[in-house]
Amino acid sequence: MATQTDAYRAAPARATSRRRQKKNQLGAFGALSHIALIVWAILVIGPILWTFLASFKTNPEIMGDAPLAMPQDFSWASWGRAWEKAHIGRYMLNTVLVVGVSTFFTMLFGSMAAYVIARFRFPGNRIVYYLFVSGLAFPVFLALVPLFFVVRNLGLIDTHLGVILVYIAYSLPFTVFFLTAFFKTLPNSVAEAAMMDGSSHTRTFFQIMVPMAKPGLISITIFNILGQWNQYLLPIVLLSGSVEDKWLITQGIANINTNAGYEADWPGLFAALTMAILPMMIVYIIFQRQIQSGLTAGAVK
Amino acid sequence: MRKYGFIFSFLVIPVILYAIFVISPYLQAFYISLTNWRGISANPQFIGFENFTRLLGDDVFWAAVRHHAVLLVAMPLITIAIALFFSFLLNVGGGSKSGKMAGVRGSKFYRVVYFFPQVLAVAVVGVLFQAIYRPDNTGVLNGLLDLVGLGPVGWLIDTNLALWSIMGVIIWQGVGFYVVLFSAGMAAIPSEVFEAAALDGAGRFRLFFSITLPLIWDTIQVGWVYLGIAAFDAFALVQVLSVDRGGPDNATTVLPLEIWRTAFTFSKFGYASAMGVALFFLTITFAALSLRVTRRERIEV
């Protein structure tokens, strides 16, 4: 590289012309790369936008030969049908309840365990830590059959409590793994000062450490909300077809799809899809920075 | 001692929940795989490795393993290639602006948009792409092909194409995450490294292959392992998108789908658990191998 620079210096004229040549090359490359970027952006937004528009179409418009045409008129009728008849409202409510409760307790129990593991020496500390972290490596499918029977033997199959407990348990590995690292980085001095002032361990945790850990807690909370909201496998195993009124949103969506063949309410299906997409889109746009950093934090040290 | 009482009180609930719903099912799965349990009898019979020897002669099992092999090679390669290309453009593609390497114009916007499919539920994405892949001209993709005068393609009903169509959806959903992941890796490279190289006359290709790629190798390796595990995990998309759950003619079936079906449709819990154990060993072997093979000398910056 150094010799090349010397050569430039020795022959300035030649260097400029070569540099100009390179600039032209980069110009073409730049244009092409912009096209590639725009094409992928359209590929990403297109299907979602199309779903939204299709919710305003009529059955013949959707099943016709022009799937790309705009809807004739914008009526919200299909949204009402999806909400009422396809029970999307009910599924949404169920999901909010289940995800709300289980995220709250995941964060509570997860941060409690992580705090103790990160900041206290006690016999078995490493064992508990590796016990939790090992959960990250195992495929859920291996546990599926016994899990079903464990939940059934506890009398919790087809109940929201069962789903909530399972969600908490399966969210613990990542939560504990991430928060342990986070609690380790917090300064010791503040906690020590509180202890000197006679604050108990529990009080120190809730009033001092939790507020200090807020950024980490927010990232992981969002991560857990997204993960649990989008969970598909666990609900179909834990909430059977006989308790349709307890179903969660992803289950409901997958089911209207199977039924749509007979009932043929396509606009209703797309309205339901849009309703499932919208809350996530809003949460994502508000918190995109935290979501992106939360999701990649585990991988980039 | 007060300290141990506190530690115990903070660990007891998370550890019990985790032991009941995560650890115990995993341990049970290994035992159940050695029995002929069908869920009805109270005392499943211990049959040793019979399930596993049966697995060796099971055509559907091998079809599923073959599909994982295809996914394992093609899906990470394509996803990583696309994601690397985009993240390079978004981080250094704009060249040096007032002494700082910058991404192309609008890079912030692209980063937000590309990540979006990642926050959508797989079940929702599956249903959405069913409409896109519909085999006649009512499908969005075939509608587009029709505009340029090409005949309809049986995306999901053609046995040679179905698996690739589903893989396309996995890639569509995954690219954004890896763009963000690689961007985080690239952001960790000091910009002087790029600037020095650019001053020495290195073009974009040189910058990419001689600097970016080696310096984010660790992150690519992590991405590769994630994608490999995702290749073993593909369930919801195959379940929702494929014709006849894994069809046509078992052309798209995967192990998780077979486990789920064997257990919850045919009540062959022993056999399903044997598949789970096989899946577990495949996943672990893959993760161990790929970490070994891709290990490189760390480049210190």
Side-chain angles (χ1 to χ4, degrees), chain A residues 22 26 29 33 37-38 43 50-51 63-64 121 131-132 135 138 141-142 146 170 201 230 232 257 281 284 295, chain B residues 3 6 18 21 25-26 29 89 110 112 114-116 119 121 128 130 138 140 172 201 204 239 256 269 276 280:
Chain A
K22 189 158 259 164
L26 290 186
F29 179 79
S33 54
L37 286 165
I38 291 167
L43 279 178
W50 181 82
T51 309
M63 293 312 285
R121 279 161 170 260
L131 199 66
F132 277 117
F138 293 133
F141 280 90
L142 178 57
Y170 281 83
H201 283 297
N230 290 342
Y232 172 65
N257 184 48
M281 199 178 213
Y284 170 62
L295 281 181
Chain B
K3 190 182 109 181
F6 165 75
Y18 188 68
F21 293 106
Y26 279 123
L89 290 180
Y110 289 122
V112 173
Y114 287 4
F115 194 81
F116 188 63
V119 300
L128 165 53
Q130 245 187 2
T138 66
V140 177
W172 177 84
R204 277 180 229 219
Q239 210 229 19
F269 297 112
F280 166 74

Side-chain angles (χ1 to χ4, degrees), chain B residues 68-200:
Chain B
H68 284 298
V70 174
L71 285 174
L72 198 54
V73 175
M75 197 257 290
L77 274 180
I78 301 172
T79 310
I80 290 179
I82 298 177
L84 271 177
F85 174 64
F86 286 142
S87 50
F88 180 72
L89 290 180
L90 296 180
N91 287 281
V92 256
S96 141
K97 272 176 200 133
S98 61
K100 248 184 96 66
M101 294 302 285
V104 296
R105 225 175 321 127
S107 60
K108 238 188 109 191
F109 167 78
Y110 289 122
R111 227 182 308 235
V112 173
V113 169
Y114 287 4
F115 194 81
F116 188 63
Q118 195 68 35
V119 300
L120 296 183
V122 232
V124 170
V125 170
V127 175
L128 165 53
F129 271 87
Q130 245 187 2
I132 290 174
Y133 279 148
R134 242 181 271 141
D136 46 25
N137 278 345
T138 66
V140 177
L141 211 49
N142 282 331
L144 275 173
L145 285 181
D146 196 41
L147 287 181
V148 288
L150 290 171
V153 175
W155 299 103
L156 293 166
I157 54 172
D158 182 331
T159 45
N160 296 318
L161 209 62
L163 188 64
W164 294 91
S165 302
I166 293 176
M167 198 193 297
V169 183
I170 304 178
I171 294 168
W172 177 84
Q173 198 174 20
V175 161
F177 174 78
Y178 295 93
V179 167
V180 172
L181 187 70
F182 296 151
S183 295
M186 286 180 201
I189 304 174
S191 58
E192 301 91 61
V193 179
F194 287 115
E195 280 147 34
L199 275 180
D200 284 345

